[in-house]
C-alpha cells in the first residue's frame, strides 16, 4: 500500500523568504501526487498535482513542486512567501485501481510566517 | 465546474443521537464519493468509499454500523453518524469523482465540523 511522509511537522519562515516543504512517498509505480492547503477550520484547496509528463509542476498562488522518481519525493516550493500562506499543507498520493481519486495523505506541515 | 458541497458545515449534537452529513456534487455526476475524517491537528484518513447504487466499502477499523453511508443518486452521498459520542467529534470531509471523465482527481467539499456534547 502507498504511504506519504512529510518529515516536517512545523516550519516557520519569514515573509518574503523562500519555502520548501518536503514530501516523500512509498509506492511501487508512479503515483498521482497532490499538494493541498488547509486554512484553520476550512476545507482543502488543491495547489497542484502531478499525473505524468513534465516533472516540474506549476500550481496556484505561485507554488511549484518537482517530482523526483529517484528520491520518491514531491517537494513543494515557493520563492517568496506571503503572510497569507500561513496554513497547513498536505501532500497526498493516489494510486491503485482508483488512481487519482482515492488518496492517502501525509501528516501535514504547519507553516507559520514571521512578519 | 466540479463543485462539491457539504452540509452542514458545522453541527453540534448530543451524545447518543445521530447526525447526517450530506455531500453533493453540484455540476457533475459522481459515481464515486469518498469520506475522510480529520481529528484535530491530525491528517485526513479515508473512512469509506461510496459507490452509487451499491454498498460502501469501509477502511479497516471503521465501524460500518456506526458510520452509515448512502449513495442513492449520482449527485448525493450521505454519512450518518449513529449514536454519536464525544470521541466522534471530528472534521468530516467528502470528495467526489467522475471516473467517466478519465482518471482525474476527486473534488473536495468544504467539510463538516461535528461536535458531540
Amino acid at each position: 500500500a502507498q504511504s506519504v511522509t512529510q518529515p516536517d511537522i512545523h516550519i516557520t519562515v519569514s515573509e518574503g523568504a523562500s519555502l520548501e516543504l518536503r514530501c516523500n512517498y512509498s509506492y511501487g509505480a508512479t503515483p498521482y501526487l497532490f499538494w493541498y492547503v488547509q486554512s484553520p477550520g476550512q476545507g482543502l484547496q488543491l495547489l497542484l498535482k502531478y499525473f505524468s509528463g513534465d516533472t516540474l509542476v506549476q500550481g496556484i498562488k505561485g507554488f511549484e513542486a518537482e517530482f523526483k522518481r529517484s528520491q520518491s519525493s514531491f517537494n513543494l516550493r515557493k520563492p517568496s512567501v506571503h503572510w497569507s500562506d500561513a496554513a497547513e499543507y498536505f501532500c497526498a498520493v493516489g494510486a491503485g485501481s482508483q488512481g487519482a481519486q482515492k488518496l492517502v495523505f501525509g501528516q501535514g506541515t504547519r507553516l507559520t510566517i514571521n512578519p | 465546474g466540479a463543485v462539491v458541497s457539504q452540509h452542514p458545515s458545522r453541527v453540534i449534537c448530543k451524545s447518543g443521537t445521530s447526525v447526517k452529513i450530506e455531500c453533493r456534487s453540484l455540476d457533475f455526476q459522481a459515481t464515486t464519493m469518498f469520506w475522510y475524517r480529520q481529528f484535530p491537528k491530525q491528517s485526513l484518513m479515508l473512512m469509506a468509499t461510496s459507490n452509487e447504487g451499491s454498498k460502501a466499502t469501509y477502511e479497516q477499523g471503521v465501524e460500518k454500523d456506526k458510520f452509515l453511508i448512502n449513495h442513492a443518486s449520482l449527485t448525493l452521498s450521505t454519512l450518518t453518524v449513529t449514536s454519536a459520542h464525544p470521541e466522534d467529534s471530528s472534521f468530516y470531509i467528502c470528495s467526489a469523482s467522475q471516473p467517466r471523465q478519465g482518471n482525474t482527481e476527486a473534488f473536495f467539499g468544504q467539510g463538516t465540523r461535528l461536535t458531540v456534547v
Side-chain angles (χ1 to χ4, degrees), chain B residues 49-109:
Chain B
T49 302
S50 168
N51 296 295
E52 186 267 337
S54 64
K55 290 184 178 180
T57 303
Y58 291 82
E59 296 299 303
Q60 191 172 7
V62 177
E63 300 174 58
K64 62 180 181 181
D65 294 331
K66 181 171 185 61
F67 299 98
L68 301 179
I69 292 174
N70 183 281
H71 193 161
S73 79
L74 285 171
T75 60
L76 175 64
S77 176
T78 59
L79 168 68
T80 301
V81 183
T82 63
S83 186
H85 288 92
E87 56 265 32
D88 298 323
S89 297
S90 187
F91 188 68
Y92 293 86
I93 191 165
C94 70
S95 67
S97 67
Q98 344 165 232
R100 295 191 184 94
Q101 295 298 319
N103 209 357
T104 60
E105 73 270 24
F107 301 94
F108 283 85

Side-chain angles (χ1 to χ4, degrees), chain B residues 4-30:
Chain B
V4 176
S5 177
Q6 260 182 265
H7 179 80
S9 57
R10 292 179 180 271
V11 58
I12 300 173
C13 71
K14 291 184 177 180
S15 186
T17 63
S18 296
V19 60
K20 180 185 288 187
I21 302 169
E22 294 185 346
C23 180
R24 292 182 184 274
S25 55
L26 298 186
D27 51 3
F28 66 99
Q29 293 184 329

Side-chain angles (χ1 to χ4, degrees), chain A residues 32 34 36 38 41-44 46 49 51 88 90 96-108 110, chain B residues 10 32 34 36 38 42-44 46 49 51 59 91 93 95 97-99 102-106 108-110 113:
Chain A
Y32 300 95
F34 304 83
Y36 288 90
Q38 184 181 36
Q42 302 297 312
L44 299 176
L46 178 65
K49 62 187 178 186
F51 283 10
E88 189 88 19
F90 291 96
S97 61
Q98 287 171 300
Q101 290 128 13
K102 183 177 178 180
L103 302 184
V104 174
F105 285 84
Q107 302 91 317
R110 182 160 58 94
Chain B
R10 292 179 180 271
T32 304
F34 302 90
Y36 296 83
Q38 183 182 30
Q42 294 188 29
S43 187
L44 292 87
L46 180 67
T49 302
N51 296 295
E59 296 299 303
F91 188 68
I93 191 165
S95 67
S97 67
Q98 344 165 232
N103 209 357
T104 60
E105 73 270 24
F108 283 85
Q110 63 269 53
R113 174 76 57 193

Side-chain angles (χ1 to χ4, degrees), chain A residues 3-107:
Chain A
S3 65
V4 181
T5 300
Q6 292 179 246
D8 305 305
I9 296 174
H10 184 203
I11 283 182
T12 300
V13 299
S14 298
E15 189 169 16
S18 63
L19 172 71
E20 182 170 32
L21 302 183
R22 296 183 291 165
C23 172
N24 293 96
Y25 68 89
S26 174
Y27 183 62
T30 300
Y32 300 95
L33 295 161
F34 304 83
W35 275 100
Y36 288 90
V37 62
Q38 184 181 36
S39 297
Q42 302 297 312
L44 299 176
Q45 182 179 24
L46 178 65
L47 288 176
L48 45 77
K49 62 187 178 186
Y50 174 78
F51 283 10
S52 64
D54 192 345
T55 56
L56 184 60
V57 180
Q58 301 298 320
I60 62 171
K61 302 185 178 185
F63 286 94
E64 66 177 26
E66 186 171 12
F67 169 58
K68 292 186 177 180
R69 184 191 306 275
S70 62
Q71 298 176 20
S72 298
S73 69
F74 189 56
N75 295 346
L76 181 71
R77 300 193 294 250
K78 186 170 184 177
S80 176
V81 297
H82 186 262
W83 64 267
S84 61
D85 293 324
E88 189 88 19
Y89 290 79
F90 291 96
C91 180
V93 59
S97 61
Q98 287 171 300
Q101 290 128 13
K102 183 177 178 180
L103 302 184
V104 174
F105 285 84
Q107 302 91 317

